Amino acid sequence: FIIEYIERNYSEDTVKPEDRLVYDLNMDSLERTEMAMDMEVKCEVTIPEAEIVGWVTVQDMADGIHLLILAKKFRQRKSS
């Protein structure tokens, strides 16, 4: 869903996992932050600023969000 989101909102071309957010998709820091905020709402997670800064490629972003979702589910199971 992340690739579809980027294609719909930030790119007129087909987006690939290896595309670099800054160099290939021309996303500035504000656009990456806005995208992260949208992903926080959609995925119901909090994305730390350090995580966003570390995203180089679309795959980095997808992997980072996936790990945050898994960590949230783990915490929920552990607390129940």
Side-chain angles (χ1 to χ4, degrees):
F1 72 94
I2 292 173
I3 288 178
E4 293 168 358
Y5 173 85
I6 294 172
E7 287 177 344
R8 188 172 52 251
N9 294 289
Y10 295 101
S11 178
E12 296 176 4
D13 298 322
T14 300
V15 175
K16 301 178 289 302
E18 64 271 14
D19 283 344
R20 296 169 294 176
L21 300 172
V22 174
Y23 298 107
D24 299 323
L25 302 177
N26 299 314
M27 295 179 82
D28 61 26
S29 60
L30 179 60
E31 290 172 321
R32 286 182 295 174
T33 301
E34 288 173 349
M35 182 174 51
M37 291 170 55
D38 289 343
M39 291 294 119
E40 285 180 325
V41 171
K42 184 168 183 64
C43 300
E44 299 179 357
V45 296
T46 300
I47 304 172
E49 182 69 26
E51 180 79 20
I52 299 166
V53 172
W55 293 341
V56 176
T57 66
V58 172
Q59 188 66 55
D60 294 338
M61 181 178 66
D63 291 345
I65 292 170
H66 181 73
L67 288 174
L68 291 169
I69 292 168
L70 289 176
K72 178 183 173 184
K73 288 182 179 181
F74 177 77
R75 285 191 304 274
Q76 288 172 339
R77 285 187 186 152
K78 191 174 178 183
S79 67
S80 55

